[in-house]
Amino acid sequence: MQTSAQHDIVINAKLMPQEESIAIAQEVTFRNTATKALDTLYFNDWANSFSSKTTPLAKRFAENYNDSFHFEKEEDRGFTQITEISIQTNGAVKNTSWERGSAADILKVALETPLQPNEEVTILLKYTVHVADDKFTRYGVDDFGNYKLRYWFISPAVYDDGWKAYSNKNSDDLFLNPSNFSIQFSVPTRYVITSNFDEGDSFTSANGMTTVSLEGKKRTHAIIHIEKNSSFETIETDKLTLVTSLQDQKVTPAIKALAVDRIVHFLDGKLGAYPFKKMITTEEAYKKDPVYGLNQLPNFISPFPDGFEYDMEQLKTITRNYIENTLALNPREDYWLTGALQIYLMTEYVDTYYPNMKLIGSLSNWWIIKWAHASDLEFNDQYPLLYLNMARNNLHQSLTTPRDSLVKFNKNIANDYYAGDGLNYLADYIEKSVLEKSIKEFYAENVLKYVTPAVFEKTIEQNTSLPINWFFDEYVAKRTTIDFKIKKVKKKGDSLEVTIKNLKDNVMPVSIYGLNKEEVLYKQWTQPIDSTVTITVPSENVRKLALNYEAIIPEFNQRNNYKAVKGLLNRPLQFRLFQDVEDSKYNQLFFMPVFEYNLYDGFSFGMKLYNKTVLPKGIHYKFEPQFGIKSKDIIGSGSISYTQRLDEDRLYSMRYGFSGSYYSYDENLFYKRFTPYITFAFRPQDLRDNEKQFINLRSINVSRDDNPDDPNQEPNYNVFNAQYVYSNPNLINYFRGTVDYQIAKNFSKISATFEYRKLFINNRQLNIRAFAGAFIFNDTRNNSDYFSFALDRPSDYLFDYNYYGRSEETGIFSQQLIVAEGGFKSQLEPAFANTWMTTVNASTNIWKWIYAYGDIGLVDNRAQNPQFVYDSGIRLSLLADYFELYFPLYSNLGWEPGLPNYEEKIRFIVTLSPKTLLGLFTRAWY
């Protein structure tokens, strides 16, 4: 392994609050300990990652649907203005050429003479950093003129068999070798400086500036807070001094001191001595990596004992700092080991000091919650639960996936939790004392050094005779989930011959338990299993065998882990009110009240019976019988589906199922709909890529009550529908395309819909939607337009759309708009096309959420010439696609506000479905 040595970084910085900038003169002494000469040096200039809407950081914001950066004023984004870069050689200073690399936040500095191994060179830089607003990353300048600085200076990149110069993608993974810092920071006298460095002498000059000396040896971070009124307090322990801005008004200073002292002593015992006198923990760092669950609770709810939340917040932040400040792991490539150690130590701390703490605290004692399995979960049970949320949604990623390539939920939560669970898995397999000894040795031998996980692996190997390569080669390096099953049990004398099958493509061990009701009679580990293994265990008093009974392994499916030796059921049946966390020991069935509304059934109420838990399963079923108050009849729906998830292929999911429903479609008229279907889902290997493709195949069978007012009605029909969908949503460029083919007894049609949204650099947004559809044959045109293409309000003969009054032709319910088929907003003639139709819908923003829209199209019906149609108006997009109002202005009808009953021409989009609205929030996580 080739590594670069530490550097000497000397900085003279001056804060200029009126310009929200910092003037910096900097020296970097770069030592080359690689085995090859370097003719170019790379530097990270992450302050410049805010400089435009096209930097890697800006693109990452857009990918995460964060529009605050895109719409921010230019002066609030921040940038670096470089005045000069020169090289100092033998006392002589000479300017050198430099350029920004492929990204705006990476610098390339050319050397006239290649830097040979073991030589050093001093680079001089003069530049001004215009500090970005803190709203983007929590670091920067806030509304009160306080400065929270993290990546504020130009730092030398790491060379290790190639340059590790990374762009800022808001993943907090700047890579800097341990370096010696000497900083002179000048600020106006009204400001106070707090940092993670040792503070030296300070002096105040006649011009009203205070200069503070900051020193730090072998540091990988330079966090500095400059505030008008310090938000920090100091807590002394006999191991280190903690300077913290984490606050909890409910906790006294004495309790805070005791909590911090206990955390520091715990880490000292588990890892080793912290090599620095001072540590800083900040509110900003905690909020970027909070204790999830605690941070979701409103302030007025406090289900945990006084001091617990503060203890957990400091524990997570101090532990992270302890590891990051002492072990120089590559934070983009090897972050998983930092997360693994952090979460493992946190679980050990909770087991030691809060052994009975529940995941939801005292809420587990509430009568409405006490019955639920969620109330049984321990605080540490959250870690596998949150990882499995991603695994069950087929969004998990291997621990070796670079940090900037992780899905947001994996980056913030799941991968660290999975890594920490992995160490618990390994500890149970090789014995906890062996792992803890290895962690202490690894820490002691590599503190303040650049190190890789391979060194950690070798340390463990030296302390155990058991094979551990499976942990690093399979658990860490592969995306494959874990799932074991007891395939067969055969009794032989006083023993049981048990065959265990590994259902996944990996090689891992599993624990097997002998149970007598709730009593554990024995526990035994297998060798790492690649396919199947047969082992012999005692049979005396054993009523049931179980794999991974204590759920130490974060297994994808624990429901197949049980095998009854005595008795009929592997898992007993359990009924629960409301959806709950999965309890793998039982076959669970949930029931809950449901309430719905449509115009014809009125308000309906009933009971939903289903098996879906908080985490999705392969097989889902639900039945929703209801009573319609207005229709005075039993209505409802039901469905069953099986989802087959594929881990490594572009085809990542196949779903098979059928659904049925029975509701009113008009006054005292009902319909029955039955639909078998299959869906194929495709995506790129890069899970951060928003591109998705779907092939949907289904058969829609509809039976309707005869309508005496419509003698031409076709009450019963069957439509086969094949659909291809391409979707690539993004804040800057949104694209979705659909090709739809339908065939029934009396018609066949094909259509295509394309939607495109573009957000321009100047914040102008353009939305374009195009639709084209044609009948291949149509034997229904002489009877009605029920199956025709609709210009503004589809008849919805497939019953796909959530119409609140689907048969209404007048009144408020007739004004509900669902943008489909023609997509027009004005109600024009001809309203339908029985041969072909093509339309284009466009809109652009006038001011924020106010848009101008326009639609044009051609509508063709048999025995008529194609009709040209158009409309235009104002669209109020209060929440795009969810809550919108359309005010028609000019169309084929003329100036519509001047026509009678204009209020009846206003159209609206309202989404009331909780499941659909949930998509607004989950897209920011996944």
Side-chain angles (χ1 to χ4, degrees):
M1 179 181 69
Q2 300 173 341
T3 62
S4 55
Q6 66 184 34
H7 317 296
D8 291 334
I9 300 175
V10 180
I11 296 175
N12 283 289
K14 179 182 178 182
L15 177 67
M16 298 178 288
Q18 58 274 24
E19 290 93 19
E20 295 187 345
S21 62
I22 306 169
I24 298 175
Q26 180 176 339
E27 294 181 12
V28 178
T29 301
F30 188 101
R31 297 184 180 89
N32 181 17
T33 58
T35 58
K36 62 173 287 186
L38 305 175
D39 57 8
T40 303
L41 301 183
Y42 281 75
F43 291 82
N44 298 301
D45 180 16
W46 279 21
N48 201 56
S49 58
F50 300 87
S51 58
S52 76
K53 298 180 183 181
T54 58
T55 65
L57 178 63
K59 293 176 181 177
R60 178 54 51 94
F61 286 140
E63 291 168 3
N64 291 341
Y65 293 93
N66 183 346
D67 61 1
S68 62
F69 184 81
H70 189 93
F71 289 109
E72 192 53 68
K73 294 179 289 188
E74 200 75 37
E75 59 268 22
D76 288 339
R77 288 202 193 95
F79 59 92
T80 304
Q81 188 173 3
I82 297 176
T83 306
E84 181 183 313
I85 298 180
S86 55
I87 299 176
Q88 180 176 297
T89 308
N90 299 323
V93 176
K94 185 176 181 181
N95 286 351
T96 188
S97 61
W98 62 274
E99 63 179 355
R100 298 205 178 271
S102 56
D105 51 6
I106 297 174
L107 297 177
K108 296 167 61 177
V109 177
L111 301 177
E112 280 192 348
T113 304
L115 186 65
Q116 299 299 322
N118 300 317
E119 289 185 350
E120 64 181 45
V121 64
T122 299
I123 307 297
L124 307 178
L125 306 99
K126 291 183 179 180
Y127 56 98
T128 300
V129 170
H130 295 264
V131 183
D133 195 289
D134 73 335
K135 71 177 68 171
F136 309 127
T137 65
R138 298 189 188 277
Y139 292 98
V141 58
D142 66 19
D143 294 338
F144 305 101
N146 300 310
Y147 292 80
K148 296 162 283 189
L149 307 178
R150 183 164 187 179
Y151 306 120
W152 56 278
F153 65 98
I154 295 175
S155 63
V158 173
Y159 186 89
D160 177 21
D161 289 330
W163 286 103
K164 308 295 183 183
Y166 304 135
S167 282
N168 182 9
K169 296 183 180 177
N170 198 28
S171 47
D172 294 331
D173 52 2
L174 180 81
F175 193 12
L176 175 65
N177 262 335
S179 303
N180 298 329
F181 283 85
S182 179
I183 301 174
Q184 298 284 320
F185 215 122
S186 299
V187 298
T189 53
R190 66 181 183 276
Y191 283 95
V192 178
I193 291 180
T194 307
S195 77
N196 59 328
F197 293 124
D198 299 325
E199 217 169 288
D201 295 333
S202 63
F203 63 89
T204 302
S205 61
N207 62 358
M209 300 292 286
T210 298
T211 301
V212 178
S213 297
L214 305 171
E215 299 287 337
K217 302 295 184 184
K218 296 184 178 180
R219 303 301 183 100
T220 56
H221 299 88
I223 297 172
I224 296 178
H225 283 237
I226 305 172
E227 301 172 297
K228 294 176 182 177
N229 297 293
S230 178
S231 60
F232 289 83
E233 60 180 320
T234 300
I235 300 175
E236 298 283 354
T237 76
D238 58 353
K239 300 294 183 183
L240 58 83
T241 298
L242 182 72
V243 181
T244 181
S245 61
L246 286 175
Q247 300 293 331
D248 190 330
Q249 302 301 323
K250 296 174 289 186
V251 182
T252 65
I255 297 298
K256 290 180 182 178
L258 286 172
V260 169
D261 187 70
R262 186 168 69 181
I263 292 168
V264 170
H265 277 81
F266 175 82
L267 295 175
D268 182 88
K270 293 290 185 180
L271 292 173
Y274 190 67
F276 307 119
K277 299 176 184 177
K278 182 171 71 171
M279 179 188 291
I280 183 172
T281 60
T282 67
E283 190 77 22
E284 291 70 31
Y286 171 73
K287 286 181 177 178
K288 294 204 80 171
D289 185 25
V291 179
Y292 288 92
L294 296 184
N295 72 315
Q296 305 299 318
L297 296 173
N299 292 330
F300 62 87
I301 295 180
S302 183
F304 298 101
D306 289 347
F308 176 76
E309 294 177 48
Y310 182 81
D311 202 2
M312 290 299 99
E313 291 170 6
Q314 287 288 16
L315 173 66
K316 189 164 193 183
T317 313
I318 291 173
T319 304
R320 193 80 181 189
N321 281 338
Y322 212 104
I323 298 166
E324 287 185 342
N325 294 344
T326 54
L327 296 175
L329 291 156
N330 184 328
R332 183 156 292 184
E333 306 292 335
D334 301 327
Y335 64 89
W336 73 264
L337 184 51
T338 301
L341 292 170
Q342 179 193 30
I343 299 303
Y344 175 78
L345 291 168
M346 289 181 65
T347 59
E348 286 296 294
Y349 183 89
V350 170
D351 282 343
T352 302
Y353 298 109
Y354 300 99
N356 300 314
M357 184 60 66
K358 298 297 184 182
L359 177 58
I360 54 177
S362 61
L363 294 179
S364 61
N365 297 320
W366 287 18
W367 67 270
I368 199 170
I369 297 175
K370 194 173 183 178
W371 56 266
H373 181 54
S375 67
D376 300 328
L377 297 180
E378 304 293 333
F379 190 81
N380 285 337
D381 289 335
Q382 65 181 296
Y383 302 117
L385 191 68
L386 289 168
Y387 155 72
L388 286 171
N389 171 56
M390 298 304 282
R392 296 277 188 93
N393 283 289
N394 205 0
L395 287 169
H396 58 293
Q397 294 169 282
S398 76
L399 296 179
T400 54
T401 304
R403 188 168 171 83
D404 65 322
S405 298
L406 294 176
V407 175
K408 188 176 178 182
F409 194 97
N410 289 333
K411 176 182 74 72
N412 290 344
I413 304 175
N415 271 37
D416 281 354
Y417 287 9
Y418 183 58
D421 282 333
L423 288 188
N424 278 308
Y425 181 5
L426 183 61
D428 204 62
Y429 172 70
I430 64 174
E431 295 187 2
K432 181 178 290 188
S433 60
V434 174
L435 180 67
E436 297 205 339
K437 177 186 176 185
S438 301
I439 289 174
K440 291 193 74 169
E441 289 179 2
F442 172 70
Y443 184 86
E445 293 168 6
N446 299 285
V447 66
L448 300 181
K449 296 178 183 177
Y450 173 42
V451 66
T452 67
V455 179
F456 183 55
E457 181 178 6
K458 289 178 181 176
T459 304
I460 302 173
E461 285 176 341
Q462 293 167 2
N463 291 316
T464 182
S465 59
L466 292 172
I468 63 158
N469 60 305
W470 60 267
F471 177 76
F472 294 89
D473 297 342
E474 306 283 338
Y475 188 94
V476 171
K478 286 188 176 181
R479 183 177 179 267
T480 313
T481 54
I482 306 169
D483 193 8
F484 297 97
K485 176 183 179 181
I486 298 178
K487 188 176 181 182
K488 151 173 92 166
V489 177
K490 187 176 181 181
K491 189 162 186 179
K492 283 198 170 182
D494 61 353
S495 299
L496 297 172
E497 195 175 77
V498 185
T499 300
I500 301 171
K501 182 174 179 59
N502 184 346
L503 300 175
K504 299 296 183 178
D505 183 22
N506 52 40
V507 184
M508 295 186 192
V510 67
S511 54
I512 183 169
Y513 296 74
L515 305 175
N516 185 347
K517 296 183 179 178
E518 299 298 320
E519 181 186 2
V520 176
L521 301 177
Y522 56 79
K523 173 184 176 182
Q524 180 178 323
W525 278 93
T526 71
Q527 65 191 36
I529 305 170
D530 60 350
S531 55
T532 60
V533 68
T534 300
I535 63 172
T536 301
V537 296
S539 65
E540 185 178 1
N541 296 327
V542 173
R543 298 181 62 87
K544 188 179 294 184
L545 294 171
L547 302 177
N548 189 27
Y549 180 68
E550 297 172 285
I552 292 170
I553 306 170
E555 201 175 353
F556 183 83
N557 176 20
Q558 295 178 41
R559 299 186 303 278
N560 56 8
N561 286 8
Y562 296 85
K563 200 74 171 180
V565 177
K566 299 176 182 178
L568 297 176
L569 295 176
N570 292 329
R571 297 183 301 138
L573 188 63
Q574 181 187 73
F575 291 91
R576 291 289 198 188
L577 179 64
F578 298 114
Q579 188 167 324
D580 195 5
V581 176
E582 179 177 300
D583 188 343
S584 60
K585 298 181 180 69
Y586 297 93
N587 284 300
Q588 293 174 297
L589 178 63
F590 304 104
F591 55 98
M592 67 177 292
V594 291
F595 304 91
E596 292 184 355
Y597 175 80
N598 69 61
L599 181 61
Y600 313 117
D601 292 309
F603 287 100
S604 60
F605 63 92
M607 190 65 67
K608 178 167 74 169
L609 306 173
Y610 61 108
N611 76 325
K612 184 178 180 181
T613 58
V614 172
L615 300 180
K617 300 177 181 179
I619 297 178
H620 282 161
Y621 59 82
K622 68 174 180 178
F623 304 97
E624 296 187 28
Q626 300 173 45
F627 180 76
I629 293 176
K630 185 176 180 181
S631 60
K632 293 181 173 54
D633 210 329
I634 300 297
I635 57 175
S637 63
S639 67
I640 184 168
S641 67
Y642 169 68
T643 302
Q644 180 181 355
R645 296 177 176 88
L646 307 172
D647 281 345
E648 303 296 337
D649 301 323
R650 282 183 61 85
L651 174 61
Y652 72 95
S653 176
M654 292 187 289
R655 178 171 293 175
Y656 320 86
F658 57 86
S659 63
S661 58
Y662 179 76
Y663 290 100
S664 296
Y665 75 92
D666 207 334
E667 293 289 343
N668 301 314
L669 298 173
F670 295 87
Y671 74 89
K672 293 190 289 284
R673 178 181 184 262
F674 176 75
T675 305
Y677 64 87
I678 180 171
T679 296
F680 302 89
F682 303 83
R683 69 183 177 198
Q685 294 295 318
D686 179 8
L687 297 189
R688 283 203 58 85
D689 195 324
N690 291 327
E691 178 189 297
K692 298 286 188 301
Q693 298 178 69
F694 303 93
I695 296 174
N696 302 313
L697 304 175
R698 57 181 181 159
S699 176
I700 302 97
N701 303 273
V702 176
S703 175
R704 295 186 296 161
D705 289 348
D706 287 325
N707 185 352
D709 297 328
D710 185 3
N712 295 321
Q713 174 189 355
E714 185 172 350
N716 304 321
Y717 51 89
N718 168 263
V719 180
F720 172 76
N721 179 213
Q723 188 180 74
Y724 168 75
V725 179
Y726 176 89
S727 174
N728 196 351
N730 192 280
L731 180 69
I732 306 300
N733 290 289
Y734 172 101
F735 182 80
R736 179 182 173 88
T738 303
V739 178
D740 188 276
Y741 171 72
Q742 298 175 21
I743 184 169
K745 176 182 177 181
N746 295 322
F747 73 89
S748 177
K749 64 200 297 192
I750 188 168
S751 63
T753 307
F754 301 96
E755 298 175 60
Y756 178 70
R757 298 177 187 171
K758 173 69 175 179
L759 181 60
F760 293 95
I761 297 294
N762 64 359
N763 297 337
R764 176 70 62 189
Q765 182 171 313
L766 177 64
N767 307 309
I768 296 176
R769 177 183 178 275
F771 171 82
F775 279 90
I776 298 172
F777 70 88
N778 185 3
D779 297 334
T780 70
R781 58 170 60 97
N782 295 327
N783 297 326
S784 72
D785 282 313
Y786 186 62
F787 298 106
S788 297
F789 295 111
L791 187 64
D792 74 282
R793 185 175 166 87
S795 60
D796 190 26
Y797 53 88
L798 299 182
F799 292 88
D800 284 336
Y801 305 135
N802 188 24
Y803 278 124
Y804 303 121
R806 62 176 56 252
S807 299
E808 297 305 289
E809 296 181 0
T810 59
I812 186 67
F813 288 97
S814 70
Q815 295 172 240
Q816 181 186 358
L817 175 67
I818 291 176
V819 180
E821 298 186 5
F824 268 56
K825 290 75 189 179
S826 293
Q827 298 172 321
L828 307 178
E829 293 294 337
F832 296 94
N834 59 31
T835 54
W836 59 265
M837 174 191 290
T838 179
T839 62
V840 175
N841 320 119
S843 66
T844 186
N845 55 319
I846 301 172
W847 178 80
K848 291 187 177 179
W849 40 268
I850 300 177
Y851 290 75
Y853 73 82
D855 307 314
I856 59 172
L858 289 171
V859 179
D860 185 71
N861 288 280
R862 175 172 288 186
Q864 297 180 18
N865 292 325
Q867 300 292 308
F868 175 72
V869 288
Y870 65 92
D871 70 5
S872 60
I874 299 296
R875 165 190 167 206
L876 304 185
S877 180
L878 305 177
L879 193 56
D881 303 326
Y882 294 87
F883 298 101
E884 300 186 350
L885 291 172
Y886 290 81
F887 296 87
L889 293 181
Y890 200 81
S891 69
N892 293 78
L893 300 174
W895 178 249
E896 294 201 34
L899 299 176
N901 304 316
Y902 177 70
E903 68 279 1
E904 297 178 4
K905 302 179 183 299
I906 298 171
R907 309 297 294 275
F908 65 88
I909 293 174
V910 174
T911 299
L912 300 178
S913 166
K915 181 179 178 181
T916 306
L917 288 172
L918 186 63
L920 280 172
F921 305 99
T922 57
R923 70 184 186 184
W925 282 106
Y926 303 124

